[in-house]
Structures are given as C-alpha cells and as structure tokens.
C-alpha cells in the first residue's frame, strides 16, 4: 500500500493532483490508515495508469471519467492503444537511428555524405517531429493541402506574417482591415480542409495544443481568434437582437475556449457511436446545451433567430467544425437520451 505522497512521487504527480482526483471521484483509494491517510493499492495504481494514459491521449477529466467505465477504458484497451502509438514512434525512431548510423559511418571514414543522404536524414528527422501525424491518418493528411502542398504552406506562412503586421501596426481586431483578414483566413481554412467538419475539428484541436510545433505564435493565434470573433459577431448582428450579440460576446470571452475541445470530442464520438446511444454521447450533448444556452439564452424567439441564421449564412459555421451531420447527431442523442429534450436539441441546431 502506498501513501499519497509516495504515489505522487513515483507517478511524477503532485499530491494536490491526487487530492483533486479523489475529490471529483476519479480516483478514490478504498483504504485509509489508522491516522486517516489515503492508502493506494494495486487496483488504485492500475486505475491511475489508465487515467494518465487517457490524459496523454488528450481527453478531459470529465471524458476520462466516462471512458473509464466503458469498454474503451478497460485496462486491456488502454494498453493496446498505448502499444499502437508506441509502435508508430518506435518505427520512426528505428528508421531515424539507422539513417544516422549510416551518416556517422561516413563521417568517421572522413567522407562527406552526399546531398541525397542529407536530404533523407532531414526527411526522417522531420518525420519524427511531424505533429500532424499524431492527429491525422495518412488518408486525412492527403486531404490537407496545408500539409502536402508547398503553395498552400507558403500562403499560410504569408497569412501569419500578415497577422504579425496587423499586430505590429496596432490594428484592433474589430477594425475593417482585421475583419477582412479574418474572412480571408476562414476562406483559406475552408479550402484547405475541404470544408470537412471532422478535419476542421481535428485541426482546430491540434493547433490549440501544438502552437509551437506548427509554427503558430500564440500572439498571432489570439489575434486571429479575436478578429474572427468580431467578424462573426458583426454577422450575427444582422440576425439577432443586440442583447443577444452582447451575450455572445461575453460568452466568447469567458467560455469560448470550451467549444474547440467539445466539437473535436463530438466528431470523434460520432465515429465511435453513430447511433448516439452511449453515455458519452449524452454527456457531450449536455455539455453542448449548457454552452449553447450560456451563449444564446433561453428565449425561444432568440433561439429561432439563431437557428435560422446558422442554417442560412455559411460564414457563421466556417472554421468551427460544426456541420449538418453534427447537428443531426446531436438531435439523435437527445432523442435517445431524453425525448422531451428534442425540442431543445432542435433549438440548439
């Protein structure tokens, strides 16, 4: 049996983290010492392994709690998933190691590797650091021009520089020039994802987590988000009351960051549970409705106006990862989970 401090040290966690896991019911040790200290046994440590593995896969604590009680969260499923990811990294590492050994042998002999050898070494090194491969399948990568197309890459580098220029010139995100830039950004994003909501959701999640790895300065991303927000709020103002626009502005400032991971998780769950009958589907739908009502409110006229605008103006969904299939799936979830919520589900669409 391990005390909380011992387990924290061995697992490279803080005691506060383990206390938090206990408080939210994620990891509650079944035993206590005579003095009342938490004591962790084999099963507790095994559960902690599953929790930390799922965190490494990018799940939130609330999603981990649901996953642990599903087949996908069984010890065997978690280990299999870790092994699969590890096999990919090992193959990449082996390929790079073999190439580096060949280069080293040439350098030891005093000969200079030729251009093709250095290019192969560079390619293998970049493969090891290619963040996109951790998020997308090969088939998905083939559908992302910003990964495979040099012209698209150059355009995105240019847009990052344009954003830097706007920032350096102190152009506010609600200025006409910033909103025009935001529209170009959204249009390029839609083009280079094929306007595919699933790819869009994955890409949004990847960029949010891997800003440095994809060469996106945090200051640029913050500015782009702000400019896109102003562009969309200006568009929403054509369809909904000023009070709703202000409510949406407050929502984006306080809870807007919750949408990207939620949409990405929903897209993944749509693939895993297309019939929308599982507990995680219901939990995601409840999160969606909570965010939706925080953003729009509960007045039926406001909800109807929001729905109509969202359905007819494509700009309002650009770059979000939300498509018609997403809304249909949400309605299906609510039909399965709580028939009386169908109306709310339709409202959210």
């Amino acid at each position: 049996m391990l005390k909380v401090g011992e387990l924290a040290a061995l697992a490279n966690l803080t005691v506060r983290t383990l206390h938090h896991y206990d408080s939210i019911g994620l990891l509650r040790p079944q035993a206590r010492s005579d003095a009342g200290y938490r004591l962790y046994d084999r099963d507790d440590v095994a559960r902690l392994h599953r929790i930390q593995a799922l965190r490494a896969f990018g799940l939130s604590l609330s999603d981990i709690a649901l996953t642990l009680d599903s087949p996908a969260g069984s010890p065997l499923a978690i280990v299999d998933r870790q092994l699969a990811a590890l096999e990919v990294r090992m193959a990449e590492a082996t390929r790079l190691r073999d190439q580096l050994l060949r280069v080293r042998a040439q350098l030891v002999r005093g000969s200079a590797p030729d251009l093709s050898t250095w290019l192969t070494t560079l390619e293998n090194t970049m493969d090891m650091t290619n963040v996109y491969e951790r998020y997308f399948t090969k088939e998905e990568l083939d559908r992302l021009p910003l990964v495979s197309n040099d012209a698209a890459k150059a355009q995105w580098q240019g847009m990052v520089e344009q954003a830097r220029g706007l920032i350096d010139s102190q152009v506010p995100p609600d200025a006409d020039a910033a909103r025009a830039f935001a529209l170009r950004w959204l249009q390029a994003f839609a083009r280079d994802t094929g306007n595919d909501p699933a790819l869009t959701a994955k890409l949004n999640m990847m960029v949010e987590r891997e800003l440095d790895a994809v060469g996106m300065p945090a200051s640029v991303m913050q500015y782009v988000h702000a400019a896109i927000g102003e562009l969309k709020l200006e568009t929403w103002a054509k369809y909904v009351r000023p009070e709703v626009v202000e409510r949406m502005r407050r929502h984006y400032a306080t809870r807007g960051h919750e949408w990207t991971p939620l949409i990405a998780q929903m897209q993944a769950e749509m693939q895993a549970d297309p019939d929308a009958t599982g507990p995680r589907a219901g939990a995601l739908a409840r999160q969606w409705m909570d965010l939706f009502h925080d953003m729009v409110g509960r007045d039926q006229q406001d909800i109807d106006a929001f729905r109509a605008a969202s359905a007819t103006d494509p700009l309002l969904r650009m770059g979000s990862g939300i498509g018609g299939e997403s809304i249909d799936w949400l309605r299906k979830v609510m039909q399965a989970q709580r028939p009386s919520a169908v109306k709310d589900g339709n409202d959210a669409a």
Side-chain angles (χ1 to χ4, degrees):
M1 303 284 279
L2 297 171
K3 292 180 180 178
V4 64
E6 293 174 306
L7 179 58
L10 290 168
N12 196 24
L13 297 170
T14 64
V15 170
R16 179 178 294 182
T17 295
L18 292 176
H19 284 174
H20 179 58
Y21 287 175
D22 190 351
S23 69
I24 63 176
L26 197 60
L27 179 65
R28 285 181 174 162
Q30 299 302 309
R32 295 267 180 171
S33 69
D34 293 339
Y37 295 115
R38 297 171 176 84
L39 295 175
Y40 296 83
D41 62 13
R42 180 197 63 184
D43 291 340
D44 295 324
V45 175
R47 184 176 177 89
L48 179 60
H49 168 260
R50 293 155 64 203
I51 292 168
Q52 294 305 98
L54 290 168
R55 290 209 71 182
F57 292 140
L59 273 67
S60 66
L61 292 181
S62 59
D63 288 328
I64 289 172
L66 291 170
T67 303
L68 287 173
D69 296 325
S70 72
S74 71
L76 178 59
I78 295 296
V79 170
D80 282 346
R81 188 171 172 182
Q82 286 183 297
L83 284 171
L86 185 59
E87 290 290 343
V88 172
R89 293 198 297 271
M90 287 172 61
E92 292 171 346
T94 298
R95 186 168 62 248
L96 176 58
R97 178 180 181 275
D98 291 345
Q99 180 64 17
L100 289 173
L101 285 173
R102 285 191 289 269
V103 171
R104 183 182 185 278
Q106 287 184 260
L107 293 172
V108 168
R109 292 195 301 267
S111 61
D114 60 20
L115 175 62
S116 64
T117 299
W118 281 121
L119 287 174
T120 301
T121 305
L122 176 62
E123 180 183 3
N124 288 340
T125 302
M126 294 308 295
D127 283 346
M128 279 290 291
T129 59
N130 189 347
V131 66
Y132 289 91
E133 292 181 357
R134 299 205 299 268
Y135 290 83
F136 298 95
T137 66
K138 184 180 183 304
E139 291 75 16
E140 289 171 334
L141 287 174
D142 289 341
R143 292 159 50 202
L144 285 173
L146 75 165
V147 177
S148 58
N149 185 289
D150 289 340
K153 290 179 186 178
Q155 182 182 2
W156 280 106
Q157 290 171 355
M159 295 192 73
V160 170
E161 290 307 311
Q162 290 174 33
R164 286 184 189 273
L166 290 167
I167 294 169
D168 291 343
S169 301
Q170 298 184 339
V171 177
D174 61 349
D176 289 343
R179 287 196 292 261
F181 169 76
L183 179 58
R184 293 196 301 274
W185 183 284
L186 286 174
Q187 289 170 336
F189 195 74
R191 179 202 66 207
D192 288 347
T193 57
N195 220 13
D196 184 320
L199 288 182
T200 298
K202 274 191 177 185
L203 194 56
N204 283 338
M205 192 73 255
M206 186 200 75
V207 171
E208 184 169 291
R209 293 175 179 167
E210 312 280 359
L211 281 177
D212 291 338
V214 298
M216 181 69 69
S219 59
V220 168
M221 199 70 258
Q222 290 167 3
Y223 185 86
V224 169
H225 280 160
I228 290 173
E230 293 296 339
L231 172 66
K232 290 196 174 185
L233 286 171
E234 179 187 48
T235 307
W236 280 116
K238 301 175 185 177
Y239 303 102
V240 301
R241 295 184 302 120
E243 294 83 354
V244 177
V245 173
E246 286 308 307
R247 183 186 183 105
M248 294 172 76
R249 184 181 295 279
R250 292 193 299 272
H251 169 83
Y252 290 136
T254 58
R255 301 190 66 186
H257 63 281
E258 297 180 38
W259 282 107
T260 294
L262 176 59
I263 292 169
Q265 291 162 26
M266 190 182 74
Q267 288 288 353
E269 191 64 17
M270 286 170 60
Q271 300 298 317
D273 182 15
D275 293 330
T277 57
R280 188 159 185 250
L284 291 173
R286 287 189 292 273
Q287 285 180 254
W288 181 283
M289 292 308 302
D290 175 57
L291 278 177
F292 174 79
H293 287 306
D294 185 77
M295 178 176 64
V296 180
R298 294 181 179 273
D299 183 279
Q300 191 59 49
Q301 289 185 336
D302 291 335
I303 291 172
D304 289 343
F306 179 95
R307 288 181 59 207
S310 181
T312 57
D313 194 325
L315 172 62
L316 297 176
R317 286 189 184 173
M318 285 178 68
S320 67
I322 303 170
E325 290 184 0
S326 311
I327 299 303
D328 290 343
W329 186 82
L330 278 170
R331 290 172 175 164
K332 192 186 298 184
V333 174
M334 293 180 187
Q335 178 70 47
Q337 298 287 327
R338 185 165 57 92
S340 61
V342 173
K343 187 173 185 295
D344 284 342
N346 290 336
D347 290 343

